[in-house]
């Protein structure tokens, strides 16, 4: 593959990560990063701090800082594992579940609108390509 195509794909992937960064602050008082954390915790039981650090490629203290703010905001609750109190599991609070639901609905509408001009075959192809890339990066 020519370098120009590789560069174009890399640029598009970085731009795609910005999806949702244009959400008006009055709409949600939380960032797309918060929604990503909530989505991850919701889909990965049990979740511990190391999982969050690994997800974002940061140190555990950096992940702890992010999670601490979300705990203070009432989005996430922490609980120690009964047989090893050093391990802290994370779970969504009711407030976190509501924010995740509302945020997910908002982003689904955005994605539907963005993909509306694609045919069903093009959407299916896009899904297959994204899945292939995901599988390559997550080996």
């Amino acid at each position: 593959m020519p370098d120009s195509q590789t560069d174009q794909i890399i640029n598009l992937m970085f731009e795609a990560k910005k999806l949702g960064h244009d959400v008006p602050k009055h709409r949600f008082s939380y960032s797309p990063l918060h929604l990503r954390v909530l989505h991850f915790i919701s889909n990965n039981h049990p979740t511990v701090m190391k999982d969050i650090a690994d997800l974002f490629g940061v140190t555990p203290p950096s992940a702890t800082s992010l999670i601490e703010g979300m705990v203070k905001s009432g989005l996430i609750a922490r609980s120690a594992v009964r047989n090893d109190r050093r391990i802290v599991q994370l779970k969504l609070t009711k407030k976190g579940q509501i924010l995740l639901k509302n945020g997910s609905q908002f982003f689904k509408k955005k994605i539907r609108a963005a993909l509306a001009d694609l045919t069903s075959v093009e959407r299916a192809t896009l899904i297959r390509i994204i899945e292939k890339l995901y599988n390559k990066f997550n080996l």
Side-chain angles (χ1 to χ4, degrees), residues 23-31 34 95 99:
V23 176
K25 280 295 180 195
H26 67 277
R27 191 80 194 176
F28 301 105
S29 56
Y30 300 97
S31 74
H34 292 109
K95 182 177 178 181
L99 178 65

Side-chain angles (χ1 to χ4, degrees), residues 126-138:
L126 177 62
I127 290 168
R128 277 196 312 279
I129 291 168
I130 292 171
E131 285 175 340
K132 272 186 168 181
L133 290 172
Y134 175 82
N135 290 333
K136 283 284 187 186
F137 286 114
N138 288 298

